[in-house]
């Protein structure tokens, strides 16, 4: 059973021995509604996928929670979803991507000041602290993808 590729409408998982050298050995992708419920579901699905792959849950699920919450809050376009994607690439990097349909609203790194943000504003600061790398890919129009990478071997 472990030598089979499992394919569903929203995800693909392949054993490392069967994956081509160009594709990550493990991939997961799912569209979700751009709502609070969709953001919560993104965190829950990511947690289960990480468990399936035998990977540590934290800090990945915290990064997923922040990026998905931002997609639901700032990247929301009525009637359009956002996409969560996870990929485990050699030698041991977990890439988290959240794509939404508000390419016109790119995240801005808040300047570091002694003044704390009011009620919110900590999301990308948290991602910056937890991830080894993160960034934004613009397009194709009207989308943007915010990604974060976690090195799992360190």
């Amino acid at each position: 059973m472990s030598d089979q590729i499992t394919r569903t409408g929203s995800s693909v998982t392949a054993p490392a021995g069967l994956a081509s050298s160009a594709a990550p050995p493990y991939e997961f992708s799912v569209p979700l509604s751009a709502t609070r419920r969709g953001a919560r579901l993104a965190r829950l699905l990511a947690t289960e996928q990480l468990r399936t792959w035998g990977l540590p849950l934290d800090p990945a699920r915290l990064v997923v929670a922040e990026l998905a919450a931002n997609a639901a809050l700032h990247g929301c376009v009525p009637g359009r979803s956002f996409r969560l994607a996870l990929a485990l690439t050699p030698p041991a990097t977990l890439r988290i991507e959240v794509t939404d349909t508000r390419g016109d609203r790119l995240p801005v790194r808040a300047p570091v000041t002694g003044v704390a943000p009011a009620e919110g504003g900590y999301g990308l600061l948290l991602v910056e602290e937890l991830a080894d790398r993160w960034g934004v890919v613009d397009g194709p129009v009207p989308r943007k993808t915010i990604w974060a990478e976690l090195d799992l071997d360190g």
Side-chain angles (χ1 to χ4, degrees):
M1 190 78 153
S2 64
D3 290 335
Q4 296 178 350
I5 295 176
T6 305
R7 187 177 299 261
T8 67
S10 62
S11 66
V12 176
T13 305
L18 290 180
S20 71
S21 60
Y26 295 98
E27 292 182 325
F28 173 81
S29 179
V30 62
L32 298 158
S33 65
T35 62
R36 287 182 177 177
R37 178 176 273 173
R40 181 176 182 272
L41 185 56
R43 182 181 51 81
L44 294 172
L45 290 171
T47 298
E48 286 308 310
Q49 193 62 51
L50 293 168
R51 279 192 182 120
T52 299
W53 290 343
L55 298 177
L57 302 180
D58 290 323
R61 67 180 165 182
L62 298 171
V63 172
V64 168
E66 289 301 329
L67 295 182
N70 281 350
L73 181 63
H74 303 294
C76 180
V77 173
R80 294 189 183 169
S81 60
F82 71 91
R83 177 169 292 279
L84 167 67
L86 305 174
L88 182 60
T89 58
T93 300
L94 176 66
R95 184 173 175 100
I96 301 163
E97 295 182 347
V98 173
T99 302
D100 66 45
T101 54
R102 287 298 304 261
D104 60 325
R105 297 182 90 179
L106 297 177
V108 178
R109 293 178 194 229
V112 178
T113 65
V115 179
E119 186 174 318
Y122 291 102
L124 289 178
L125 291 174
L126 183 61
V127 170
E128 189 163 343
E129 286 300 312
L130 295 174
D132 292 293
R133 293 164 297 285
W134 77 276
V136 180
V137 177
D138 194 14
V141 174
R143 295 179 288 220
K144 72 174 175 298
T145 299
I146 302 177
W147 59 269
E149 291 182 339
L150 303 171
D151 295 332
L152 303 174
D153 58 357

